[in-house]
């Protein structure tokens, strides 16, 4: 082959190659005439190659002059430098990548269709634009966790710009969670979507809580290229939750103890676990002294140091910030961020600077604790790092805690006051020589409970207060067996009536000693007036009872001893009276008659005293028979008439009624009432008597117009030796007549009572049961 043929062959090869090239290619001379157009270029020209070769591109395609293609070609020709550009080609709706290679003779232009790539690129551009407008944080990493995409949301959440972070590993945001992330990658690679809450660290060191959704990321061609993280900031929500949880725990702690100092120390410990690095509580005493009552730090040695430091260096109350401000101005001190710059300016001495750096002040809240408008304490929260900078929400939480702490302090004060009062009352009551008590429930029921009994009970009976309050119905179990039934009935009666009452019985001490007591009880009622309990004082009256018994014994013996000689004297007087029957010595006769009257009076008195001692000893016996009450009344009137000339006895009404009883004893009652009516109405001359039947009773009334009985004395008249003091000197008597009468009537199943107006007179009544027809047998018996 010659050189020429060799050259032709080579040119032929090149042309073949150009012809078969998948890209479009054509050549222009320096005047823009087509020299060569390959097969693929025809789709751009849409003309046959033969019709274009030698023709000028500008005349064949007049529009071409207005395109940027023309400008680039011109430039390449002019500068003789390669030009590369990408351009949209509207006639075919395609994107082209164009390479222009200039030479002195013209241009070689090389086109390739890049429409597909361009579309993907545009789509990505569009997506990025959208992602940047999404407020959520969106981060894309490659398979090795290196960040490849970082949107504006991520920038504002973590503080890093895209330039700063793209290319770095994502774990720098999740320091503490490195391992977890590694673990989770496996799950991600298995195609799972992970949704989780992560505590992340911002560029400035602050912690942010994110709620993140992570999944595999695929590019436009569907290839797995890495991971996409979509996260939102839930720090506020998380902190609010923590605050609520803390408040709930703190409230529980505060309300579960009455020792508020201890409770506040527990709250401080809790705060350190949940929200801060330091927590302290100071009390403000008398508007001048500050006492640190609680302090806590995660490291015990720092807590100890704080206590020691505060002991040696009390807070300066003249300061215009900090505790001094909170106490004096009742204001909250709140520093969301304490910068190093700020500290440099505000802290003067090296020592102070050292202390503050040891404490680590980064964010601070001090809230006042007020009680009735006065600041009594302050609670301090300190965060030592950027991890937690307090917000207004945290201030509100701290104020809420202060309100609860104030309640706790008030409760503790109230409890202390109540305790002191109780102590005082106990001291007072323990000095009362009697048992003060309070009980709930019916006194005769097993469910009755003593809920208070004064300590004197231990001295009196030997049983502890604990035994009294823990054993139901304890008081009755230790009553002397002989008195138990009566004492139980009397207490039940007082309870049922709902009125105050007195009951006497014997208690047996723990050592078995019998002690006479007198219980004065009142009834406790509920809002509707229903009795629910009793309270009262029970006094040891053993000595008094013993004295009374001795007195009764003496009266019994004395009256008995007097009765015998008196009977003899009476007999001698009767002999003397008979002997003097015919004697003209009127004076002597009169003296004997008078002696008889006094002897009778003395005899009556002694009989009464004997009756009293019989009643006391339970030995008053009755001779029962049935008789007409009308007869007894008439006989009593007759007997009275023989004794008294000052009054006449007027029967106002009478009924024949058979009763069963001791006729003499009933007559004794009537005589007593008539005698009193006469005795206590010296200014009048009439006494009235009436008998009438009412239901199953016959009621006898003796009325006078005498001095009357003051209301306050009326209920006591029927007690032994009771006399109305104001009139006792004016009228002789022993105060036992009504007592004996009352005992007689009671034993007959009746009642005795008085109605009286002071200064106007009295009416004494007594009732006797009317026997049911069959039981009237007239037979005498003793009881
Ligand atoms: P005595 O009359 O001997 O003192 P009683 O037991 O009979 O004793 O009476 C007790 C007290 O009751 C009397 O001391 C008197 O104060 C008062 N009393 C009794 N009956 C009357 C009456 N009819 N009018 C006023 N006071 C009376």
């Amino acid at each position: 082959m010659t050189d020429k043929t060799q050259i032709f062959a080579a040119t032929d090869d090149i042309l073949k190659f150009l012809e078969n090239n998948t890209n479009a290619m054509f050549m222009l001379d320096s005047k823009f005439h087509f020299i060569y157009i390959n097969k693929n270029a025809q789709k751009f020209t849409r003309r046959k190659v033969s019709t274009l070769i030698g023709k000028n591109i500008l005349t064949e395609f007049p529009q071409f002059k207005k395109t940027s293609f023309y400008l680039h070609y011109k430039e390449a020709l002019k500068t003789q430098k390669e030009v590369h550009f990408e351009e949209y080609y509207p006639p075919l709706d395609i994107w082209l990548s164009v390479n222009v290679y200039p030479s002195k003779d013209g241009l070689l232009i090389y086109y390739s269709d890049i429409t597909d790539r361009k579309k993907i690129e545009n789509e990505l551009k569009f997506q990025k634009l959208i992602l940047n407008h999404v407020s959520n944080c969106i981060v894309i990493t490659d398979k090795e966790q290196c960040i490849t995409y970082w949107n504006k949301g991520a920038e504002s959440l973590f503080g890093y710009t895209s330039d700063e972070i793209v290319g770095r590993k994502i774990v720098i945001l999740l320091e503490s969670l490195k391992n977890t992330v590694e673990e989770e990658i496996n799950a991600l690679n298995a195609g799972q979507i992970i949704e989780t809450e992560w505590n992340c660290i911002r560029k400035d060191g602050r912690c942010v809580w994110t709620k993140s959704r992570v999944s595999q990321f695929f590019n436009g061609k569907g290839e797995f290229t890495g991971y996409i993280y979509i996260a939102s900031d839930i720090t506020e929500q998380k902190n609010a939750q923590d605050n609520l949880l803390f408040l709930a725990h703190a409230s529980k702690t505060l309300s579960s103890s009455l020792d508020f100092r201890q409770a506040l120390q527990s709250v401080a410990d809790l705060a350190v676990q949940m929200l801060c690095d330091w927590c302290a509580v100071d009390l403000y005493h008398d508007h001048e002294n500050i006492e640190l009552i609680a302090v806590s730090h995660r490291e015990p040695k720092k807590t100890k140091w704080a206590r020691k430091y505060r002991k040696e260096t009390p807070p300066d109350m003249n300061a215009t910030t900090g505790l001094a401000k909170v106490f004096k101005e009742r204001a909250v001190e709140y520093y969301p961020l304490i910068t190093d710059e700020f500290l440099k300016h505000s802290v003067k001495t090296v020592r102070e600077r050292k202390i503050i750096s040891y404490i680590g002040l980064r964010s601070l809240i001090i809230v006042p604790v007020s009680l009735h408008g006065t600041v009594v304490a302050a609670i301090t929260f300190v965060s030592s790092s950027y991890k937690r900078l307090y917000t207004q929400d945290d201030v509100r939480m701290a104020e809420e805690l202060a309100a609860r702490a104030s309640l706790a302090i008030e409760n503790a004060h109230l409890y202390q006051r109540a305790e002191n009062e109780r102590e005082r009352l106990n001291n007072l009551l323990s000095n009362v020589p009697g048992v003060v008590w309070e009980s709930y429930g019916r006194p005769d029921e097993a469910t009755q409970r003593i809920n208070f009994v004064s300590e004197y009970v231990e001295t009196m009976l030997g049983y502890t207060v604990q035994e009294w309050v823990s054993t139901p119905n304890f008081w009755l179990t230790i009553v002397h067996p002989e008195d138990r039934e009566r004492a139980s009935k009397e207490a039940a009666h007082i309870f049922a009536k709902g009125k105050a009452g007195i009951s006497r019985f014997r208690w047996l001490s723990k050592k078995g000693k019998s002690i006479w007591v007198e219980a004065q009880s009142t009834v406790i009622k509920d809002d509707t007036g229903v009795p629910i309990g009793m309270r009262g004082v029970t006094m040891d009256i053993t000595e008094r009872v013993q004295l009374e018994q001795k007195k009764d014994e003496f009266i019994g013996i004395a009256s008995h001893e007097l009765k015998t000689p008196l009977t003899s004297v009476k007999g001698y007087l009767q002999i003397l009276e008979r002997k003097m029957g015919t004697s003209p010595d009127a004076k002597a006769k009169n003296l004997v008659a008078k002696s008889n009257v006094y002897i009778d009076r003395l005899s009556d008195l002694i009989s009464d005293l004997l009756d009293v001692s019989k009643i006391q000893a339970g030995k008053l016996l009755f001779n029962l028979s049935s008789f007409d009450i009308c007869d007894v009344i008439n006989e009593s009137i007759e007997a009275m008439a023989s004794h008294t000339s000052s009054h006449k006895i007027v029967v106002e009404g009478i009924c024949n009624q058979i009763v069963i009883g001791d006729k003499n004893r009933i007559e004794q009652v009537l005589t007593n009432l008539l005698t009193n009516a006469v005795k206590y109405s010296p200014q009048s001359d009439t006494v009235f008597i009436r008998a009438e039947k009412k239901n199953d009773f016959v009621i006898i009334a003796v009325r006078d117009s005498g001095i009357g009985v003051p209301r306050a004395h009326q209920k006591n008249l029927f007690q032994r030796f009771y006399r109305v003091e104001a009139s006792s000197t004016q009228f002789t008597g022993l105060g036992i007549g009504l007592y004996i009468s009352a005992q007689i009537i009671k034993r007959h199943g009746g009642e005795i009572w008085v109605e009286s107006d002071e200064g106007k007179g009295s009416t004494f009544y007594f009732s006797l049961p009317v026997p049911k027809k069959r039981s009237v047998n007239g037979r005498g018996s003793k009881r």
Side-chain angles (χ1 to χ4, degrees):
M1 222 190 287
T2 61
D3 285 354
K4 207 171 179 183
T5 51
Q6 270 177 344
I7 290 165
F8 277 128
T11 313
D12 220 29
D13 283 347
I14 292 166
L15 283 172
K16 257 187 210 152
F17 167 75
L18 294 173
E19 207 57 24
N20 292 328
N21 198 310
T22 47
N23 291 324
M25 195 199 80
F26 59 93
M27 290 181 203
L28 298 173
D29 67 12
S30 55
K31 299 278 186 244
F32 287 89
H33 293 105
F34 285 106
I35 300 170
Y36 174 75
I37 305 169
N38 82 347
K39 210 162 51 183
N40 281 324
Q42 281 184 52
K43 84 170 172 207
F44 299 102
T45 58
R46 293 192 204 156
R47 297 254 299 268
K48 273 194 172 174
V49 175
S50 54
T51 61
L52 286 174
I53 297 294
K55 301 272 174 61
N56 192 298
I57 192 170
L58 298 170
T59 49
E60 292 304 309
F61 301 99
Q63 293 299 320
F64 175 69
K65 211 171 182 174
K66 293 173 189 163
T67 67
S68 63
F69 289 83
Y70 175 60
L71 295 175
H72 285 301
Y73 297 172
K74 257 186 21 184
E75 190 198 338
L77 208 56
K78 192 176 164 193
T79 59
Q80 286 297 302
K81 280 186 182 157
E82 282 178 31
V83 173
H84 173 74
F85 65 93
E86 289 177 356
E87 189 59 78
Y88 179 63
Y89 187 63
L92 293 182
D93 184 26
I94 56 173
W95 273 88
L96 294 171
S97 164
V98 184
N99 286 307
V100 186
Y101 303 101
S103 71
K104 269 185 242 149
D105 300 324
L107 301 166
L108 171 69
I109 298 141
Y110 197 82
Y111 285 68
S112 60
D113 186 349
I114 56 161
T115 312
D116 286 347
R117 200 197 85 206
K118 224 33 190 178
K119 258 187 195 159
I120 291 171
E121 265 181 26
N122 282 345
E123 217 160 85
L124 277 176
K125 246 190 217 163
F126 179 66
Q127 279 174 1
K128 278 188 181 170
L129 195 76
I130 289 177
L131 293 182
N132 264 340
H133 282 87
V134 171
S135 61
N136 275 7
C137 149
I138 298 172
V139 179
I140 299 172
T141 69
D142 61 16
K143 289 178 194 169
E144 275 69 47
Q145 305 285 322
C146 280
I147 297 167
T148 55
Y149 175 72
W150 184 258
N151 80 339
K152 288 271 178 222
E155 190 173 317
S156 68
L157 180 57
F158 293 109
Y160 294 99
T161 64
S162 178
D163 290 344
E164 285 169 332
I165 197 115
V166 167
R168 295 173 76 177
K169 287 241 176 192
I170 196 158
V171 284
I172 68 154
L173 304 171
L174 308 160
E175 270 301 320
S176 58
L177 291 163
K178 231 179 233 170
N179 296 333
T180 324
V181 171
E182 292 296 333
E183 271 168 32
E184 286 172 345
I185 292 298
N186 296 333
L188 282 172
N189 288 342
Q192 287 179 24
I193 294 173
I194 292 173
E195 278 190 50
T196 186
E197 287 177 1
W198 271 319
N199 192 2
C200 304
I201 302 160
R202 279 173 52 92
K203 185 185 171 188
D204 60 14
R206 264 166 59 195
C207 281
V208 277
W209 273 99
T210 64
K211 193 180 178 82
S212 306
R213 190 183 154 92
V214 194
S215 62
Q216 285 179 313
F217 185 70
F218 299 92
N219 69 8
K221 290 179 192 157
E223 295 157 346
F224 164 53
T225 57
Y227 307 96
I228 177 162
Y229 295 74
I230 301 173
S232 53
D233 184 356
I234 55 161
T235 313
E236 245 177 58
Q237 187 186 328
K238 239 352 205 180
N239 287 346
Q241 271 174 12
D242 282 352
N243 286 351
L244 275 179
L245 199 67
F246 167 69
L247 275 179
H249 283 310
S251 299
K252 210 168 152 197
T253 309
L254 288 171
S255 59
S256 62
S257 166
L258 282 165
D259 180 348
F260 74 91
R261 286 165 185 260
Q262 193 201 336
L264 285 169
Q265 179 60 55
S266 304
V267 168
D269 294 341
L270 194 70
V272 163
Q273 280 168 35
M274 298 179 74
L275 339 152
C276 56
D277 295 294
W278 286 98
C279 182
V281 184
D282 289 273
L283 276 193
Y284 192 34
H285 295 292
D286 310 323
H287 298 276
E288 49 185 300
N289 294 324
I290 297 179
E291 181 198 359
L292 178 73
I293 58 158
V295 63
S296 190
H297 188 276
R298 219 164 284 125
E299 296 169 36
K301 77 164 194 241
K302 283 202 167 185
T303 310
K304 217 167 143 191
W305 169 85
R307 283 213 180 89
K308 189 166 168 266
Y309 172 73
R310 278 291 299 275
K311 212 175 236 174
E312 291 162 2
T313 326
D316 174 12
M317 282 311 281
N318 294 319
T320 51
T321 55
L323 279 175
K325 185 176 173 192
V326 173
F327 283 131
K328 283 185 183 162
E329 296 176 23
R330 295 185 206 171
V332 174
E333 275 281 74
Y334 169 46
Y335 296 90
L337 174 63
I338 301 168
T339 60
D340 295 334
E341 200 60 22
F342 173 82
L343 288 175
K344 212 187 276 173
H345 287 298
S346 51
V347 182
K348 300 280 175 288
T349 67
V350 178
R351 184 176 175 262
E352 274 179 4
R353 209 163 291 156
K354 268 189 185 163
I355 287 163
I356 284 182
S357 106
Y358 185 71
I359 295 171
L361 272 184
R362 193 53 75 202
S363 191
L364 170 88
I365 301 173
I366 312 177
V367 280
V369 177
S370 302
L371 204 62
H372 308 302
T374 309
V375 181
V376 292
I379 307 176
T380 305
F381 293 94
V382 172
S383 173
S384 301
S385 69
Y386 282 100
K387 284 191 180 169
R388 178 138 190 182
L389 299 179
Y390 295 124
T391 62
Q392 281 294 349
D393 282 347
D394 296 320
V395 174
R396 276 191 286 278
M397 176 280 300
E399 285 176 318
E400 182 59 41
L401 177 71
R404 294 178 196 197
S406 141
L407 268 181
I409 294 173
E410 179 160 38
N411 275 350
H413 281 166
L414 286 176
Y415 177 76
Q416 197 52 51
R417 213 177 300 157
E419 270 295 285
N420 292 346
E421 279 300 307
R422 209 170 65 92
E423 184 114 356
R424 205 166 68 91
L425 198 68
N426 267 348
N427 279 344
L428 213 72
L429 292 180
S430 62
N431 287 319
V432 173
V435 183
V436 181
W437 51 268
E438 188 179 76
S439 68
Y440 280 89
R442 285 181 63 90
D444 54 337
E445 276 180 4
T447 49
Q448 191 237 32
R449 276 209 177 261
I450 301 275
N451 69 325
F452 175 80
V453 63
S454 61
E455 280 170 21
Y456 186 76
V457 81
E458 297 188 4
T459 319
M460 193 203 266
L461 294 162
Y463 293 106
T464 62
V465 167
Q466 190 51 33
E467 281 171 292
W468 277 83
V469 295
S470 60
T471 319
N473 216 14
F474 189 73
W475 78 277
L476 197 55
T477 61
I478 59 161
V479 172
H480 193 291
E482 286 174 16
D483 300 346
R484 196 169 294 156
E485 198 184 330
R486 180 181 53 80
S488 167
K489 271 188 190 158
E490 284 174 1
H493 182 72
I494 293 169
F495 183 84
K497 288 251 163 183
K499 285 186 183 161
I502 296 173
S503 176
R504 272 188 185 196
F505 49 86
R506 279 166 292 171
W507 260 333
L508 293 174
S509 76
K510 201 165 189 172
K511 287 185 177 162
K513 196 176 150 209
S514 169
I515 294 167
W516 269 103
V517 292
E518 185 175 87
Q520 304 202 12
S521 324
T522 55
V523 178
I524 308 168
K525 296 174 185 173
D526 69 9
D527 296 343
T528 59
V530 173
I532 49 168
M534 292 167 84
R535 63 171 72 96
V537 187
T538 304
M539 308 288 282
D540 181 347
I541 55 160
T542 312
E543 265 183 39
R544 205 162 91 201
V545 169
Q546 280 167 352
L547 274 175
E548 278 174 11
Q549 279 168 351
K550 276 191 186 142
K551 193 172 71 189
D552 289 342
E553 262 171 48
F554 169 75
I555 292 170
I557 294 166
S559 44
H560 196 265
E561 292 301 315
L562 284 170
K563 188 100 183 163
T564 325
L566 200 68
T567 316
S568 309
V569 172
K570 176 95 180 157
Y572 295 142
L573 270 177
Q574 277 169 359
I575 297 168
L576 194 63
E577 201 172 27
R578 261 200 308 275
K579 284 206 169 175
M580 289 186 72
T582 50
S583 164
D585 191 344
K587 203 174 176 187
K589 268 182 169 177
N590 189 25
L591 284 174
V592 172
K594 270 189 180 164
S595 297
N596 254 328
V597 170
Y598 286 114
I599 290 293
D600 282 348
R601 217 179 270 175
L602 195 60
S603 175
D604 287 348
L605 261 176
I606 290 168
S607 293
D608 280 354
L609 283 172
L610 263 175
D611 282 349
V612 169
S613 58
K614 278 184 198 159
I615 290 166
Q616 287 306 112
K619 287 178 183 164
L620 189 69
L621 299 177
F622 293 149
N623 252 328
L624 296 187
S625 63
S626 62
F627 55 90
D628 194 329
I629 194 71
C630 185
D631 296 342
V632 183
I633 291 172
N634 287 332
E635 281 162 31
S636 305
I637 294 171
E638 254 174 55
M640 269 306 289
S642 66
H643 280 88
T644 177
S645 52
S646 58
H647 290 68
K648 59 180 183 299
I649 294 157
V650 174
V651 180
E652 286 185 311
I654 195 144
C655 61
N656 285 91
Q657 178 59 56
I658 300 292
V659 291
I660 297 172
D662 186 323
K663 195 177 168 201
N664 289 336
R665 288 293 183 188
I666 299 298
E667 198 179 322
Q668 182 184 348
V669 173
L670 260 172
T671 309
N672 182 35
L673 295 185
L674 288 169
T675 313
N676 279 349
V678 170
K679 183 161 71 169
Y680 295 106
S681 62
Q683 310 294 340
S684 105
D685 58 0
T686 318
V687 168
F688 301 90
I689 191 161
R690 194 173 70 235
E692 58 180 338
K693 199 186 153 212
K694 225 177 196 180
N695 301 326
D696 296 334
F697 290 88
V698 57
I699 296 167
I700 294 101
V702 176
R703 180 165 65 87
D704 64 60
S705 316
I707 60 169
V709 183
R711 186 166 290 272
H713 294 276
Q714 289 178 10
K715 68 175 188 312
N716 298 324
L717 288 186
F718 304 95
Q719 286 175 22
R720 260 193 320 163
F721 305 116
Y722 192 88
R723 307 199 72 220
V724 177
E725 207 165 327
S727 54
S728 61
T729 48
Q730 207 182 329
F731 304 95
T732 57
L734 285 180
I736 51 177
L738 286 179
Y739 168 70
I740 296 167
S741 301
Q743 294 299 319
I744 292 170
I745 297 302
K746 240 194 198 167
R747 293 270 303 274
H748 276 79
E751 271 186 62
I752 187 163
W753 69 98
V754 62
E755 286 172 6
S756 179
D757 274 339
E758 195 181 352
K760 289 187 180 165
S762 318
T763 306
F764 281 82
Y765 299 87
F766 69 90
S767 66
L768 288 171
V770 171
K772 289 181 185 124
K773 280 205 174 111
R774 286 176 64 207
S775 60
V776 182
N777 51 31
R779 253 184 284 136
S781 68
K782 291 196 172 192
R783 54 172 187 161

